[in-house]
Amino acid sequence: MGTEGMRASLISREVIADSIELVTRGNLFDALVVLVGCDKTIPGGIMALARLNIPGLILYGGSIAPGEFEGHPVTIQDVYEAIGSHSSGKMSDARLLALEKSACPGAGACGGQFTANTMSLVSEFLGIAPIGISNVPATNAAKAAAGERAGELVLDLLRRGVTPSQIITKSAIENAIAGVAATGGSTNAVLHLLAIANEARLPLSIDDFDQISSKTPIIADLKPGGRFVATDLYAAGGTALIAKRMIEAGLLNGDAITVSGKTLAQEANAAKESPKQEVVRDAKHPLKPTGGLVILKGNLAPEGCVIKVAGHNTMNFRGPARVFDSEEAAFAEIDKSKIKAGDVIVIRYEGPKGGPGMREMLAVTAALVGAGLGDSVALLTDGRFSGATHGLMAGHVAPEAAHGGPIAAIADGDTIIFDIPNRTLSVDLTAEQIQRRLATWKAPAPRFTSGVMAKYAFLVSSSSRGAVTDLPQTNLQPVQSGRTL
C-alpha cells in the first residue's frame, strides 16, 4: 500500500484467473474447490470458474479478528488513518507504533466490509459459495467444518452436473450488487462484478450499479462507514441474516439457485439471529434509505466513475483542483499539511493503463481522514480505492488520463463540482476549453516496456468495463486454415 508494489494488485486478478484456468486445463480437472483469501483472489477465482464452466465453488479463508488498542477494537483502517493523525502532530510515534502492533492480531483478510469481505459476500449472493460458509472468521473453530462442507458440495455438484453458468446468471449478479449496496461495501466490487459478468458472457454496465443501489437501503452497520467488523456480523447472524432481511423487503431474487442445491431464499431462511444484535437492521429502519454505491458521469467522467456514500453525508461539493500526476506526489503534500479544507485533490495517471494496475489510494485517503480533512476535502482519481476508504472520494474516473480522458485536461485551480443528487462530476470548463487543452496533451511514456506490467497496460480495457484483459467476443474471428488469430 502506497508503494510501487500496489501496481501488482489488480493485475494479479487477471494472473490468478489465468493460472487457475491453466492448471485446470493442464490437469483435466473435473471439478474445483477454489481457495481464496483476499480481495483479488476472490474475483479472480470466480472469474476462472465462470470461464471454465466446470462444477466448482469458492471457499474463502475468512476475516481477521479485530485488534484492541486503548480499550477499543481496531482494524488496518485505523492504522492508516493514524498515519494522517501522526503527520499532523495529533499522535506520537509511540502511540502509532502501539496501534500498528495491535491492529492485526492473527490470520485472516482485512476485518471490515472492505474489499475482501465485500467480495466474500458477493460470492455467497452470486450463489457460487453457499451462504454462511465464507462468513466464518479465519481463526474460528467452525472453519474446519466449512472446509469439509465445501468438499462434500463440490462432489455433489459434479454428480449433478451443475456448472457455474447455471448459477451465475444476470439475476445472481443483480443480487450481488444489491448485497454490496446494502452493506456499504467496497467500490472495487464494481470492477470485479463487471469482470465476472464479462467472463460469464452476461450483459452488465456500470449504470446497473447505480440503478440497483438507488433502490437498496443500507441495512448493515459495518466499517469503514459504520461501527462493526466481520466477526461482529458473524456473531449477529451472518450474511444469511442480511439476505433474509433483503428478501423480506423484496430487494433480492430469492429464487436464485446456489451451489448447495437450495435457493437463496431457502438458505437465508435458516439464518439464526442473535438476541439484541445491532449489526443488521431491517429494511424499514435502515441506516440510509439508499445504497452505498453511486455512479457519477459528466464532462470529467463521460464513461463514469464510482463513489461510495456509505461513510459520509456530503451530497454537493465545489472547490479548486490540486492536481497530482502520481499517488506519491499527493501523499507528500498531505504529509506536509499543504492540503487545505475546500480543496479537491486530483490524482491521475494511476488508471488501469496509466498506472499500470490502478493502484489503491488508502494511504492518501486515510491520511486525509487522520489529518481531520475527511469531511472538508474531496478527491477524484482514475485509480482505485481500498475497501477501507471513506469520505467524498470518486474513483475509476473514465476514460483515464493515459487514454487522454478529460481528467488529463484539469489544471491547478480549476473548479471541480461534485453533484451527487444529479449524478454528475464536472469541471467548470466548456467542452471547447477541454478540447483545446487535450489537443496539446501528450501521453506520458509507459512506466514498463516489457514483462507482465507492459502486457497488462497494452491489453487492459477501461475501468468502466471492469479493467479486463479478455478479448471482446465481437472481436473474435474464426481461425482460418494455416492462420492464427
Side-chain angles (χ1 to χ4, degrees):
M1 190 66 71
T3 73
E4 287 284 312
M6 179 49 73
R7 300 190 194 284
S9 178
L10 185 60
I11 298 173
S12 76
R13 183 191 72 182
E14 310 305 300
V15 175
I16 289 161
D18 291 351
S19 297
I20 294 170
E21 179 190 3
L22 282 172
V23 170
T24 301
R25 295 193 190 283
N27 289 280
L28 306 177
F29 289 154
D30 296 310
L32 293 173
V33 174
V34 181
L35 302 174
V36 296
C38 198
D39 51 329
K40 303 309 174 302
T41 55
I42 304 173
I46 300 172
M47 289 164 65
L49 282 173
R51 184 186 304 174
L52 290 160
N53 200 33
I54 64 172
L57 75 158
I58 293 292
L59 177 59
Y60 173 48
S63 176
I64 195 173
E68 185 172 311
F69 176 70
E70 297 181 348
H72 63 274
V74 291
T75 69
I76 194 67
Q77 172 191 348
D78 297 279
V79 177
Y80 278 96
E81 291 179 4
I83 292 170
S85 296
H86 177 268
S87 298
S88 60
K90 298 177 182 178
M91 193 174 205
S92 68
D93 290 355
R95 286 189 69 227
L96 178 59
L97 181 60
L99 171 59
E100 186 178 9
K101 288 182 175 180
S102 304
C104 296
C110 297
Q113 192 68 345
F114 309 152
T115 306
N117 288 317
T118 296
M119 294 309 298
S120 168
L121 178 143
V122 161
S123 70
E124 294 186 353
F125 278 47
L126 276 176
I128 203 67
I131 285 247
I133 196 172
S134 298
N135 201 213
V136 181
T139 56
N140 189 286
K143 204 68 190 180
E148 187 171 349
R149 187 179 178 210
E152 293 169 349
L153 283 174
V154 75
L155 293 176
D156 180 61
L157 288 167
L158 180 59
R159 280 191 292 267
R160 292 189 290 121
V162 177
T163 61
S165 63
Q166 296 166 261
I167 294 168
I168 303 176
T169 62
K170 182 64 182 295
S171 181
I173 294 272
E174 290 171 348
N175 280 346
I177 295 171
V180 174
T183 57
S186 170
T187 53
N188 284 312
V190 177
L191 281 178
H192 298 328
L193 279 163
L194 285 167
I196 290 165
N198 178 70
E199 295 291 354
R201 303 308 177 204
L202 295 170
L204 188 69
S205 79
I206 194 170
D207 297 318
D208 291 325
F209 291 83
D210 194 80
Q211 293 167 9
I212 294 170
S213 184
S214 66
K215 60 185 180 183
T216 306
I218 298 177
I219 62 169
D221 193 358
L222 296 168
K223 287 179 178 285
R227 296 179 291 162
F228 298 104
V229 296
T231 52
D232 297 321
L233 173 60
Y234 177 70
T239 45
L241 180 59
I242 295 172
K244 184 176 183 180
R245 291 278 194 271
M246 294 181 71
I247 290 170
E248 289 170 347
L251 300 170
L252 292 179
N253 176 8
D255 294 331
I257 297 298
T258 74
V259 288
S260 70
K262 298 178 181 178
T263 65
L264 191 63
Q266 289 172 325
E267 292 275 21
N269 282 337
K272 296 178 181 178
E273 182 176 0
S274 297
K276 298 182 180 180
Q277 66 84 21
E278 298 180 10
V279 183
V280 182
R281 302 191 181 189
D282 65 67
K284 293 180 181 178
H285 303 92
L287 287 132
K288 286 191 175 183
T290 58
L293 297 176
V294 169
I295 304 301
L296 305 181
K297 293 189 176 181
N299 68 358
L300 267 185
E303 293 179 10
C305 67
V306 184
I307 191 166
K308 183 163 67 173
V309 295
H312 66 88
N313 294 310
T314 304
M315 293 290 107
N316 291 277
F317 195 97
R318 174 189 291 259
R322 296 290 307 279
V323 183
F324 304 97
D325 288 347
S326 71
E327 178 186 2
E328 288 86 352
F331 184 83
E333 292 293 281
I334 297 166
D335 199 41
K336 296 172 187 174
S337 301
K338 291 187 176 181
I339 299 298
K340 306 301 180 187
D343 286 345
V344 178
I345 300 167
V346 178
I347 304 176
R348 60 192 180 190
Y349 299 109
E350 292 286 7
K353 175 184 175 67
M358 214 176 177
R359 285 194 290 180
E360 294 178 2
M361 303 290 169
L362 180 59
V364 168
T365 59
L368 287 169
V369 172
L373 294 168
D375 295 324
S376 58
V377 300
L379 187 151
L380 65 97
T381 179
D382 51 11
R384 294 183 299 128
F385 296 125
S386 163
T389 292
H390 61 113
L392 190 59
M393 315 286 176
H396 313 185
V397 172
E400 64 176 290
H403 273 304
I407 190 174
I410 303 174
D412 277 326
D414 286 344
T415 299
I416 307 296
I417 305 155
F418 287 74
D419 185 347
I420 293 174
N422 289 310
R423 300 298 195 259
T424 59
L425 174 65
S426 56
V427 58
D428 192 13
L429 297 172
T430 65
E432 291 75 18
Q433 287 173 312
I434 293 173
Q435 286 306 313
R436 277 202 303 271
R437 291 186 185 183
L438 290 176
T440 59
W441 170 84
K442 292 183 179 179
R447 286 190 171 94
F448 300 90
T449 57
S450 64
V452 66
M453 308 296 237
K455 284 191 285 188
Y456 180 86
F458 179 76
L459 291 170
V460 71
S461 73
S462 167
S463 58
S464 64
R465 286 191 52 234
V468 295
T469 57
D470 192 21
L471 293 170
Q473 287 293 288
T474 53
N475 290 345
L476 293 177
Q477 300 295 327
V479 178
Q480 302 296 319
S481 176
R483 300 175 63 187
T484 59
L485 286 173

